[in-house]
mmCIF file with all atom_site columns, all heavy atoms in Angstrom:
data_model
loop_
_atom_site.group_PDB
_atom_site.id
_atom_site.type_symbol
_atom_site.label_atom_id
_atom_site.label_alt_id
_atom_site.label_comp_id
_atom_site.label_asym_id
_atom_site.label_entity_id
_atom_site.label_seq_id
_atom_site.pdbx_PDB_ins_code
_atom_site.Cartn_x
_atom_site.Cartn_y
_atom_site.Cartn_z
_atom_site.occupancy
_atom_site.B_iso_or_equiv
_atom_site.pdbx_formal_charge
_atom_site.auth_seq_id
_atom_site.auth_comp_id
_atom_site.auth_asym_id
_atom_site.auth_atom_id
_atom_site.pdbx_PDB_model_num
ATOM 1   N N   . ALA K 1 1  ? -19.816 15.082 9.436   1.00 0.00 ? 424 ALA K N   1
ATOM 2   C CA  . ALA K 1 1  ? -18.853 14.873 10.505  1.00 0.00 ? 424 ALA K CA  1
ATOM 3   C C   . ALA K 1 1  ? -19.437 15.261 11.849  1.00 0.00 ? 424 ALA K C   1
ATOM 4   O O   . ALA K 1 1  ? -20.230 16.197 11.947  1.00 0.00 ? 424 ALA K O   1
ATOM 5   C CB  . ALA K 1 1  ? -17.578 15.679 10.246  1.00 0.00 ? 424 ALA K CB  1
ATOM 6   N N   . ASP K 1 2  ? -19.026 14.525 12.874  1.00 0.00 ? 425 ASP K N   1
ATOM 7   C CA  . ASP K 1 2  ? -19.421 14.781 14.251  1.00 0.00 ? 425 ASP K CA  1
ATOM 8   C C   . ASP K 1 2  ? -18.170 15.045 15.073  1.00 0.00 ? 425 ASP K C   1
ATOM 9   O O   . ASP K 1 2  ? -17.307 14.166 15.185  1.00 0.00 ? 425 ASP K O   1
ATOM 10  C CB  . ASP K 1 2  ? -20.187 13.591 14.823  1.00 0.00 ? 425 ASP K CB  1
ATOM 11  C CG  . ASP K 1 2  ? -20.428 13.707 16.317  1.00 0.00 ? 425 ASP K CG  1
ATOM 12  O OD1 . ASP K 1 2  ? -20.546 14.851 16.821  1.00 0.00 ? 425 ASP K OD1 1
ATOM 13  O OD2 . ASP K 1 2  ? -20.509 12.659 16.996  1.00 0.00 ? 425 ASP K OD2 1
ATOM 14  N N   . SER K 1 3  ? -18.084 16.229 15.633  1.00 0.00 ? 426 SER K N   1
ATOM 15  C CA  . SER K 1 3  ? -16.956 16.596 16.481  1.00 0.00 ? 426 SER K CA  1
ATOM 16  C C   . SER K 1 3  ? -17.289 16.541 17.965  1.00 0.00 ? 426 SER K C   1
ATOM 17  O O   . SER K 1 3  ? -16.431 16.835 18.796  1.00 0.00 ? 426 SER K O   1
ATOM 18  C CB  . SER K 1 3  ? -16.470 18.004 16.129  1.00 0.00 ? 426 SER K CB  1
ATOM 19  O OG  . SER K 1 3  ? -17.471 18.969 16.387  1.00 0.00 ? 426 SER K OG  1
ATOM 20  N N   . GLN K 1 4  ? -18.518 16.149 18.307  1.00 0.00 ? 427 GLN K N   1
ATOM 21  C CA  . GLN K 1 4  ? -18.992 16.184 19.684  1.00 0.00 ? 427 GLN K CA  1
ATOM 22  C C   . GLN K 1 4  ? -19.076 14.814 20.341  1.00 0.00 ? 427 GLN K C   1
ATOM 23  O O   . GLN K 1 4  ? -19.577 14.697 21.455  1.00 0.00 ? 427 GLN K O   1
ATOM 24  C CB  . GLN K 1 4  ? -20.366 16.870 19.738  1.00 0.00 ? 427 GLN K CB  1
ATOM 25  C CG  . GLN K 1 4  ? -20.365 18.293 19.204  1.00 0.00 ? 427 GLN K CG  1
ATOM 26  C CD  . GLN K 1 4  ? -21.728 18.951 19.295  1.00 0.00 ? 427 GLN K CD  1
ATOM 27  O OE1 . GLN K 1 4  ? -22.580 18.528 20.079  1.00 0.00 ? 427 GLN K OE1 1
ATOM 28  N NE2 . GLN K 1 4  ? -21.933 19.979 18.502  1.00 0.00 ? 427 GLN K NE2 1
ATOM 29  N N   . ARG K 1 5  ? -18.598 13.787 19.688  1.00 0.00 ? 428 ARG K N   1
ATOM 30  C CA  . ARG K 1 5  ? -18.598 12.425 20.209  1.00 0.00 ? 428 ARG K CA  1
ATOM 31  C C   . ARG K 1 5  ? -19.997 11.999 20.649  1.00 0.00 ? 428 ARG K C   1
ATOM 32  O O   . ARG K 1 5  ? -20.215 11.581 21.802  1.00 0.00 ? 428 ARG K O   1
ATOM 33  C CB  . ARG K 1 5  ? -17.600 12.286 21.362  1.00 0.00 ? 428 ARG K CB  1
ATOM 34  C CG  . ARG K 1 5  ? -17.234 10.842 21.676  1.00 0.00 ? 428 ARG K CG  1
ATOM 35  C CD  . ARG K 1 5  ? -16.270 10.745 22.851  1.00 0.00 ? 428 ARG K CD  1
ATOM 36  N NE  . ARG K 1 5  ? -15.929 9.362  23.138  1.00 0.00 ? 428 ARG K NE  1
ATOM 37  C CZ  . ARG K 1 5  ? -16.672 8.558  23.885  1.00 0.00 ? 428 ARG K CZ  1
ATOM 38  N NH1 . ARG K 1 5  ? -17.807 8.989  24.421  1.00 0.00 ? 428 ARG K NH1 1
ATOM 39  N NH2 . ARG K 1 5  ? -16.284 7.301  24.095  1.00 0.00 ? 428 ARG K NH2 1
ATOM 40  N N   . ARG K 1 6  ? -20.925 12.099 19.742  1.00 0.00 ? 429 ARG K N   1
ATOM 41  C CA  . ARG K 1 6  ? -22.271 11.628 20.029  1.00 0.00 ? 429 ARG K CA  1
ATOM 42  C C   . ARG K 1 6  ? -22.291 10.107 20.137  1.00 0.00 ? 429 ARG K C   1
ATOM 43  O O   . ARG K 1 6  ? -21.470 9.424  19.532  1.00 0.00 ? 429 ARG K O   1
ATOM 44  C CB  . ARG K 1 6  ? -23.247 12.102 18.951  1.00 0.00 ? 429 ARG K CB  1
ATOM 45  C CG  . ARG K 1 6  ? -23.411 13.616 18.890  1.00 0.00 ? 429 ARG K CG  1
ATOM 46  C CD  . ARG K 1 6  ? -24.350 14.016 17.761  1.00 0.00 ? 429 ARG K CD  1
ATOM 47  N NE  . ARG K 1 6  ? -24.686 15.424 17.783  1.00 0.00 ? 429 ARG K NE  1
ATOM 48  C CZ  . ARG K 1 6  ? -23.972 16.370 17.182  1.00 0.00 ? 429 ARG K CZ  1
ATOM 49  N NH1 . ARG K 1 6  ? -22.871 16.050 16.513  1.00 0.00 ? 429 ARG K NH1 1
ATOM 50  N NH2 . ARG K 1 6  ? -24.366 17.634 17.253  1.00 0.00 ? 429 ARG K NH2 1
ATOM 51  N N   . PRO K 1 7  ? -23.226 9.544  20.910  1.00 0.00 ? 430 PRO K N   1
ATOM 52  C CA  . PRO K 1 7  ? -23.290 8.087  21.074  1.00 0.00 ? 430 PRO K CA  1
ATOM 53  C C   . PRO K 1 7  ? -23.490 7.368  19.749  1.00 0.00 ? 430 PRO K C   1
ATOM 54  O O   . PRO K 1 7  ? -24.021 7.927  18.788  1.00 0.00 ? 430 PRO K O   1
ATOM 55  C CB  . PRO K 1 7  ? -24.498 7.895  21.995  1.00 0.00 ? 430 PRO K CB  1
ATOM 56  C CG  . PRO K 1 7  ? -24.619 9.183  22.741  1.00 0.00 ? 430 PRO K CG  1
ATOM 57  C CD  . PRO K 1 7  ? -24.199 10.242 21.757  1.00 0.00 ? 430 PRO K CD  1
ATOM 58  N N   . PHE K 1 8  ? -23.101 6.113  19.706  1.00 0.00 ? 431 PHE K N   1
ATOM 59  C CA  . PHE K 1 8  ? -23.158 5.313  18.494  1.00 0.00 ? 431 PHE K CA  1
ATOM 60  C C   . PHE K 1 8  ? -24.566 5.241  17.922  1.00 0.00 ? 431 PHE K C   1
ATOM 61  O O   . PHE K 1 8  ? -24.737 5.136  16.703  1.00 0.00 ? 431 PHE K O   1
ATOM 62  C CB  . PHE K 1 8  ? -22.633 3.908  18.784  1.00 0.00 ? 431 PHE K CB  1
ATOM 63  C CG  . PHE K 1 8  ? -22.599 3.008  17.579  1.00 0.00 ? 431 PHE K CG  1
ATOM 64  C CD1 . PHE K 1 8  ? -21.655 3.195  16.585  1.00 0.00 ? 431 PHE K CD1 1
ATOM 65  C CD2 . PHE K 1 8  ? -23.507 1.970  17.443  1.00 0.00 ? 431 PHE K CD2 1
ATOM 66  C CE1 . PHE K 1 8  ? -21.615 2.369  15.471  1.00 0.00 ? 431 PHE K CE1 1
ATOM 67  C CE2 . PHE K 1 8  ? -23.478 1.133  16.341  1.00 0.00 ? 431 PHE K CE2 1
ATOM 68  C CZ  . PHE K 1 8  ? -22.529 1.333  15.353  1.00 0.00 ? 431 PHE K CZ  1
ATOM 69  N N   . ILE K 1 9  ? -25.573 5.309  18.770  1.00 0.00 ? 432 ILE K N   1
ATOM 70  C CA  . ILE K 1 9  ? -26.946 5.209  18.305  1.00 0.00 ? 432 ILE K CA  1
ATOM 71  C C   . ILE K 1 9  ? -27.304 6.334  17.334  1.00 0.00 ? 432 ILE K C   1
ATOM 72  O O   . ILE K 1 9  ? -28.238 6.211  16.537  1.00 0.00 ? 432 ILE K O   1
ATOM 73  C CB  . ILE K 1 9  ? -27.921 5.187  19.500  1.00 0.00 ? 432 ILE K CB  1
ATOM 74  C CG1 . ILE K 1 9  ? -29.314 4.752  19.060  1.00 0.00 ? 432 ILE K CG1 1
ATOM 75  C CG2 . ILE K 1 9  ? -27.958 6.542  20.184  1.00 0.00 ? 432 ILE K CG2 1
ATOM 76  C CD1 . ILE K 1 9  ? -30.279 4.541  20.212  1.00 0.00 ? 432 ILE K CD1 1
ATOM 77  N N   . TYR K 1 10 ? -26.545 7.430  17.378  1.00 0.00 ? 433 TYR K N   1
ATOM 78  C CA  . TYR K 1 10 ? -26.802 8.555  16.484  1.00 0.00 ? 433 TYR K CA  1
ATOM 79  C C   . TYR K 1 10 ? -26.056 8.461  15.155  1.00 0.00 ? 433 TYR K C   1
ATOM 80  O O   . TYR K 1 10 ? -26.165 9.366  14.326  1.00 0.00 ? 433 TYR K O   1
ATOM 81  C CB  . TYR K 1 10 ? -26.421 9.866  17.169  1.00 0.00 ? 433 TYR K CB  1
ATOM 82  C CG  . TYR K 1 10 ? -27.316 10.242 18.322  1.00 0.00 ? 433 TYR K CG  1
ATOM 83  C CD1 . TYR K 1 10 ? -26.926 9.993  19.631  1.00 0.00 ? 433 TYR K CD1 1
ATOM 84  C CD2 . TYR K 1 10 ? -28.542 10.848 18.103  1.00 0.00 ? 433 TYR K CD2 1
ATOM 85  C CE1 . TYR K 1 10 ? -27.747 10.334 20.698  1.00 0.00 ? 433 TYR K CE1 1
ATOM 86  C CE2 . TYR K 1 10 ? -29.363 11.192 19.165  1.00 0.00 ? 433 TYR K CE2 1
ATOM 87  C CZ  . TYR K 1 10 ? -28.958 10.929 20.457  1.00 0.00 ? 433 TYR K CZ  1
ATOM 88  O OH  . TYR K 1 10 ? -29.768 11.273 21.512  1.00 0.00 ? 433 TYR K OH  1
ATOM 89  N N   . ALA K 1 11 ? -25.321 7.396  14.925  1.00 0.00 ? 434 ALA K N   1
ATOM 90  C CA  . ALA K 1 11 ? -24.448 7.306  13.760  1.00 0.00 ? 434 ALA K CA  1
ATOM 91  C C   . ALA K 1 11 ? -25.202 7.382  12.432  1.00 0.00 ? 434 ALA K C   1
ATOM 92  O O   . ALA K 1 11 ? -24.648 7.845  11.434  1.00 0.00 ? 434 ALA K O   1
ATOM 93  C CB  . ALA K 1 11 ? -23.631 6.023  13.820  1.00 0.00 ? 434 ALA K CB  1
ATOM 94  N N   . GLN K 1 12 ? -26.443 6.924  12.405  1.00 0.00 ? 435 GLN K N   1
ATOM 95  C CA  . GLN K 1 12 ? -27.239 6.923  11.186  1.00 0.00 ? 435 GLN K CA  1
ATOM 96  C C   . GLN K 1 12 ? -28.326 7.995  11.197  1.00 0.00 ? 435 GLN K C   1
ATOM 97  O O   . GLN K 1 12 ? -29.238 7.957  10.368  1.00 0.00 ? 435 GLN K O   1
ATOM 98  C CB  . GLN K 1 12 ? -27.864 5.549  10.956  1.00 0.00 ? 435 GLN K CB  1
ATOM 99  C CG  . GLN K 1 12 ? -26.843 4.455  10.703  1.00 0.00 ? 435 GLN K CG  1
ATOM 100 C CD  . GLN K 1 12 ? -27.476 3.105  10.497  1.00 0.00 ? 435 GLN K CD  1
ATOM 101 O OE1 . GLN K 1 12 ? -28.069 2.539  11.416  1.00 0.00 ? 435 GLN K OE1 1
ATOM 102 N NE2 . GLN K 1 12 ? -27.365 2.574  9.291   1.00 0.00 ? 435 GLN K NE2 1
ATOM 103 N N   . SER K 1 13 ? -28.209 8.948  12.093  1.00 0.00 ? 436 SER K N   1
ATOM 104 C CA  . SER K 1 13 ? -29.204 10.005 12.247  1.00 0.00 ? 436 SER K CA  1
ATOM 105 C C   . SER K 1 13 ? -28.664 11.336 11.732  1.00 0.00 ? 436 SER K C   1
ATOM 106 O O   . SER K 1 13 ? -27.495 11.663 11.917  1.00 0.00 ? 436 SER K O   1
ATOM 107 C CB  . SER K 1 13 ? -29.607 10.135 13.712  1.00 0.00 ? 436 SER K CB  1
ATOM 108 O OG  . SER K 1 13 ? -30.429 11.273 13.907  1.00 0.00 ? 436 SER K OG  1
ATOM 109 N N   . ASN K 1 14 ? -29.533 12.109 11.097  1.00 0.00 ? 437 ASN K N   1
ATOM 110 C CA  . ASN K 1 14 ? -29.161 13.467 10.694  1.00 0.00 ? 437 ASN K CA  1
ATOM 111 C C   . ASN K 1 14 ? -28.701 14.300 11.884  1.00 0.00 ? 437 ASN K C   1
ATOM 112 O O   . ASN K 1 14 ? -27.829 15.161 11.744  1.00 0.00 ? 437 ASN K O   1
ATOM 113 C CB  . ASN K 1 14 ? -30.338 14.167 10.018  1.00 0.00 ? 437 ASN K CB  1
ATOM 114 C CG  . ASN K 1 14 ? -30.697 13.563 8.686   1.00 0.00 ? 437 ASN K CG  1
ATOM 115 O OD1 . ASN K 1 14 ? -29.867 12.970 8.007   1.00 0.00 ? 437 ASN K OD1 1
ATOM 116 N ND2 . ASN K 1 14 ? -31.958 13.733 8.288   1.00 0.00 ? 437 ASN K ND2 1
ATOM 117 N N   . ASP K 1 15 ? -29.300 14.035 13.048  1.00 0.00 ? 438 ASP K N   1
ATOM 118 C CA  . ASP K 1 15 ? -28.976 14.781 14.254  1.00 0.00 ? 438 ASP K CA  1
ATOM 119 C C   . ASP K 1 15 ? -27.633 14.390 14.841  1.00 0.00 ? 438 ASP K C   1
ATOM 120 O O   . ASP K 1 15 ? -27.189 15.004 15.810  1.00 0.00 ? 438 ASP K O   1
ATOM 121 C CB  . ASP K 1 15 ? -30.064 14.577 15.306  1.00 0.00 ? 438 ASP K CB  1
ATOM 122 C CG  . ASP K 1 15 ? -31.396 15.152 14.888  1.00 0.00 ? 438 ASP K CG  1
ATOM 123 O OD1 . ASP K 1 15 ? -31.405 16.108 14.088  1.00 0.00 ? 438 ASP K OD1 1
ATOM 124 O OD2 . ASP K 1 15 ? -32.431 14.651 15.361  1.00 0.00 ? 438 ASP K OD2 1
ATOM 125 N N   . GLY K 1 16 ? -26.984 13.377 14.299  1.00 0.00 ? 439 GLY K N   1
ATOM 126 C CA  . GLY K 1 16 ? -25.704 12.933 14.814  1.00 0.00 ? 439 GLY K CA  1
ATOM 127 C C   . GLY K 1 16 ? -24.510 13.698 14.287  1.00 0.00 ? 439 GLY K C   1
ATOM 128 O O   . GLY K 1 16 ? -23.378 13.401 14.677  1.00 0.00 ? 439 GLY K O   1
ATOM 129 N N   . TYR K 1 17 ? -24.750 14.672 13.431  1.00 0.00 ? 440 TYR K N   1
ATOM 130 C CA  . TYR K 1 17 ? -23.656 15.366 12.759  1.00 0.00 ? 440 TYR K CA  1
ATOM 131 C C   . TYR K 1 17 ? -23.845 16.870 12.786  1.00 0.00 ? 440 TYR K C   1
ATOM 132 O O   . TYR K 1 17 ? -24.976 17.370 12.693  1.00 0.00 ? 440 TYR K O   1
ATOM 133 C CB  . TYR K 1 17 ? -23.527 14.848 11.317  1.00 0.00 ? 440 TYR K CB  1
ATOM 134 C CG  . TYR K 1 17 ? -23.278 13.369 11.301  1.00 0.00 ? 440 TYR K CG  1
ATOM 135 C CD1 . TYR K 1 17 ? -24.335 12.469 11.258  1.00 0.00 ? 440 TYR K CD1 1
ATOM 136 C CD2 . TYR K 1 17 ? -21.983 12.877 11.386  1.00 0.00 ? 440 TYR K CD2 1
ATOM 137 C CE1 . TYR K 1 17 ? -24.103 11.101 11.298  1.00 0.00 ? 440 TYR K CE1 1
ATOM 138 C CE2 . TYR K 1 17 ? -21.745 11.514 11.423  1.00 0.00 ? 440 TYR K CE2 1
ATOM 139 C CZ  . TYR K 1 17 ? -22.808 10.636 11.377  1.00 0.00 ? 440 TYR K CZ  1
ATOM 140 O OH  . TYR K 1 17 ? -22.571 9.281  11.416  1.00 0.00 ? 440 TYR K OH  1
ATOM 141 N N   . ASP K 1 18 ? -22.734 17.582 12.901  1.00 0.00 ? 441 ASP K N   1
ATOM 142 C CA  . ASP K 1 18 ? -22.784 19.030 13.010  1.00 0.00 ? 441 ASP K CA  1
ATOM 143 C C   . ASP K 1 18 ? -22.129 19.755 11.837  1.00 0.00 ? 441 ASP K C   1
ATOM 144 O O   . ASP K 1 18 ? -22.172 20.987 11.781  1.00 0.00 ? 441 ASP K O   1
ATOM 145 C CB  . ASP K 1 18 ? -22.137 19.502 14.328  1.00 0.00 ? 441 ASP K CB  1
ATOM 146 C CG  . ASP K 1 18 ? -20.832 18.800 14.627  1.00 0.00 ? 441 ASP K CG  1
ATOM 147 O OD1 . ASP K 1 18 ? -19.837 19.073 13.922  1.00 0.00 ? 441 ASP K OD1 1
ATOM 148 O OD2 . ASP K 1 18 ? -20.793 17.993 15.576  1.00 0.00 ? 441 ASP K OD2 1
ATOM 149 N N   . SER K 1 19 ? -21.532 19.015 10.913  1.00 0.00 ? 442 SER K N   1
ATOM 150 C CA  . SER K 1 19 ? -20.941 19.607 9.717   1.00 0.00 ? 442 SER K CA  1
ATOM 151 C C   . SER K 1 19 ? -21.322 18.785 8.503   1.00 0.00 ? 442 SER K C   1
ATOM 152 O O   . SER K 1 19 ? -21.366 17.557 8.568   1.00 0.00 ? 442 SER K O   1
ATOM 153 C CB  . SER K 1 19 ? -19.417 19.684 9.824   1.00 0.00 ? 442 SER K CB  1
ATOM 154 O OG  . SER K 1 19 ? -19.013 20.528 10.894  1.00 0.00 ? 442 SER K OG  1
ATOM 155 N N   . TRP K 1 20 ? -21.562 19.473 7.390   1.00 0.00 ? 443 TRP K N   1
ATOM 156 C CA  . TRP K 1 20 ? -21.983 18.812 6.164   1.00 0.00 ? 443 TRP K CA  1
ATOM 157 C C   . TRP K 1 20 ? -21.245 19.385 4.968   1.00 0.00 ? 443 TRP K C   1
ATOM 158 O O   . TRP K 1 20 ? -21.005 20.588 4.887   1.00 0.00 ? 443 TRP K O   1
ATOM 159 C CB  . TRP K 1 20 ? -23.489 18.986 5.939   1.00 0.00 ? 443 TRP K CB  1
ATOM 160 C CG  . TRP K 1 20 ? -24.324 18.329 6.986   1.00 0.00 ? 443 TRP K CG  1
ATOM 161 C CD1 . TRP K 1 20 ? -24.672 18.834 8.205   1.00 0.00 ? 443 TRP K CD1 1
ATOM 162 C CD2 . TRP K 1 20 ? -24.906 17.028 6.910   1.00 0.00 ? 443 TRP K CD2 1
ATOM 163 N NE1 . TRP K 1 20 ? -25.437 17.925 8.896   1.00 0.00 ? 443 TRP K NE1 1
ATOM 164 C CE2 . TRP K 1 20 ? -25.598 16.808 8.124   1.00 0.00 ? 443 TRP K CE2 1
ATOM 165 C CE3 . TRP K 1 20 ? -24.915 16.028 5.940   1.00 0.00 ? 443 TRP K CE3 1
ATOM 166 C CZ2 . TRP K 1 20 ? -26.288 15.622 8.382   1.00 0.00 ? 443 TRP K CZ2 1
ATOM 167 C CZ3 . TRP K 1 20 ? -25.598 14.851 6.198   1.00 0.00 ? 443 TRP K CZ3 1
ATOM 168 C CH2 . TRP K 1 20 ? -26.274 14.661 7.404   1.00 0.00 ? 443 TRP K CH2 1
ATOM 169 N N   . GLY K 1 21 ? -20.886 18.506 4.030   1.00 0.00 ? 444 GLY K N   1
ATOM 170 C CA  . GLY K 1 21 ? -20.296 18.955 2.789   1.00 0.00 ? 444 GLY K CA  1
ATOM 171 C C   . GLY K 1 21 ? -21.354 19.444 1.821   1.00 0.00 ? 444 GLY K C   1
ATOM 172 O O   . GLY K 1 21 ? -22.556 19.371 2.085   1.00 0.00 ? 444 GLY K O   1
ATOM 173 N N   . GLN K 1 22 ? -20.906 19.944 0.686   1.00 0.00 ? 445 GLN K N   1
ATOM 174 C CA  . GLN K 1 22 ? -21.826 20.501 -0.305  1.00 0.00 ? 445 GLN K CA  1
ATOM 175 C C   . GLN K 1 22 ? -22.461 19.434 -1.180  1.00 0.00 ? 445 GLN K C   1
ATOM 176 O O   . GLN K 1 22 ? -23.447 19.713 -1.866  1.00 0.00 ? 445 GLN K O   1
ATOM 177 C CB  . GLN K 1 22 ? -21.091 21.518 -1.179  1.00 0.00 ? 445 GLN K CB  1
ATOM 178 C CG  . GLN K 1 22 ? -20.267 20.924 -2.317  1.00 0.00 ? 445 GLN K CG  1
ATOM 179 C CD  . GLN K 1 22 ? -18.981 20.275 -1.859  1.00 0.00 ? 445 GLN K CD  1
ATOM 180 O OE1 . GLN K 1 22 ? -18.597 20.364 -0.690  1.00 0.00 ? 445 GLN K OE1 1
ATOM 181 N NE2 . GLN K 1 22 ? -18.294 19.616 -2.787  1.00 0.00 ? 445 GLN K NE2 1
ATOM 182 N N   . GLY K 1 23 ? -21.922 18.233 -1.174  1.00 0.00 ? 446 GLY K N   1
ATOM 183 C CA  . GLY K 1 23 ? -22.458 17.135 -1.954  1.00 0.00 ? 446 GLY K CA  1
ATOM 184 C C   . GLY K 1 23 ? -21.685 16.880 -3.227  1.00 0.00 ? 446 GLY K C   1
ATOM 185 O O   . GLY K 1 23 ? -21.168 17.797 -3.857  1.00 0.00 ? 446 GLY K O   1
ATOM 186 N N   . THR K 1 24 ? -21.603 15.609 -3.619  1.00 0.00 ? 447 THR K N   1
ATOM 187 C CA  . THR K 1 24 ? -20.997 15.216 -4.879  1.00 0.00 ? 447 THR K CA  1
ATOM 188 C C   . THR K 1 24 ? -21.931 14.230 -5.567  1.00 0.00 ? 447 THR K C   1
ATOM 189 O O   . THR K 1 24 ? -22.434 13.292 -4.950  1.00 0.00 ? 447 THR K O   1
ATOM 190 C CB  . THR K 1 24 ? -19.590 14.610 -4.669  1.00 0.00 ? 447 THR K CB  1
ATOM 191 O OG1 . THR K 1 24 ? -19.005 14.297 -5.935  1.00 0.00 ? 447 THR K OG1 1
ATOM 192 C CG2 . THR K 1 24 ? -19.640 13.354 -3.812  1.00 0.00 ? 447 THR K CG2 1
ATOM 193 N N   . GLN K 1 25 ? -22.199 14.462 -6.836  1.00 0.00 ? 448 GLN K N   1
ATOM 194 C CA  . GLN K 1 25 ? -23.207 13.692 -7.554  1.00 0.00 ? 448 GLN K CA  1
ATOM 195 C C   . GLN K 1 25 ? -22.652 12.356 -8.028  1.00 0.00 ? 448 GLN K C   1
ATOM 196 O O   . GLN K 1 25 ? -21.574 12.280 -8.611  1.00 0.00 ? 448 GLN K O   1
ATOM 197 C CB  . GLN K 1 25 ? -23.731 14.489 -8.753  1.00 0.00 ? 448 GLN K CB  1
ATOM 198 C CG  . GLN K 1 25 ? -24.779 13.761 -9.595  1.00 0.00 ? 448 GLN K CG  1
ATOM 199 C CD  . GLN K 1 25 ? -26.085 13.564 -8.853  1.00 0.00 ? 448 GLN K CD  1
ATOM 200 O OE1 . GLN K 1 25 ? -26.506 14.425 -8.082  1.00 0.00 ? 448 GLN K OE1 1
ATOM 201 N NE2 . GLN K 1 25 ? -26.726 12.421 -9.073  1.00 0.00 ? 448 GLN K NE2 1
ATOM 202 N N   . VAL K 1 26 ? -23.425 11.298 -7.805  1.00 0.00 ? 449 VAL K N   1
ATOM 203 C CA  . VAL K 1 26 ? -23.139 9.970  -8.337  1.00 0.00 ? 449 VAL K CA  1
ATOM 204 C C   . VAL K 1 26 ? -24.308 9.561  -9.210  1.00 0.00 ? 449 VAL K C   1
ATOM 205 O O   . VAL K 1 26 ? -25.452 9.547  -8.760  1.00 0.00 ? 449 VAL K O   1
ATOM 206 C CB  . VAL K 1 26 ? -22.929 8.941  -7.216  1.00 0.00 ? 449 VAL K CB  1
ATOM 207 C CG1 . VAL K 1 26 ? -22.838 7.524  -7.795  1.00 0.00 ? 449 VAL K CG1 1
ATOM 208 C CG2 . VAL K 1 26 ? -21.674 9.272  -6.425  1.00 0.00 ? 449 VAL K CG2 1
ATOM 209 N N   . THR K 1 27 ? -24.025 9.241  -10.458 1.00 0.00 ? 450 THR K N   1
ATOM 210 C CA  . THR K 1 27 ? -25.057 8.834  -11.396 1.00 0.00 ? 450 THR K CA  1
ATOM 211 C C   . THR K 1 27 ? -24.697 7.475  -11.978 1.00 0.00 ? 450 THR K C   1
ATOM 212 O O   . THR K 1 27 ? -23.616 7.300  -12.539 1.00 0.00 ? 450 THR K O   1
ATOM 213 C CB  . THR K 1 27 ? -25.215 9.863  -12.524 1.00 0.00 ? 450 THR K CB  1
ATOM 214 O OG1 . THR K 1 27 ? -25.529 11.144 -11.977 1.00 0.00 ? 450 THR K OG1 1
ATOM 215 C CG2 . THR K 1 27 ? -26.316 9.438  -13.486 1.00 0.00 ? 450 THR K CG2 1
#
């Protein structure tokens, strides 16, 4: 999630987000 309204160009970048979940496995 991004709460800082980063530009659209950052939408696919790790640097575009400031919060991360713990992950859920898909097999």
Side-chain angles (χ1 to χ4, degrees):
D425 171 30
S426 63
Q427 301 181 21
R428 197 182 180 276
R429 296 178 172 88
F431 182 73
I432 194 173
Y433 291 100
Q435 295 179 293
S436 172
N437 292 334
D438 295 333
Y440 301 90
D441 44 71
S442 297
W443 296 84
Q445 81 285 353
T447 183
Q448 179 68 36
V449 172
T450 302

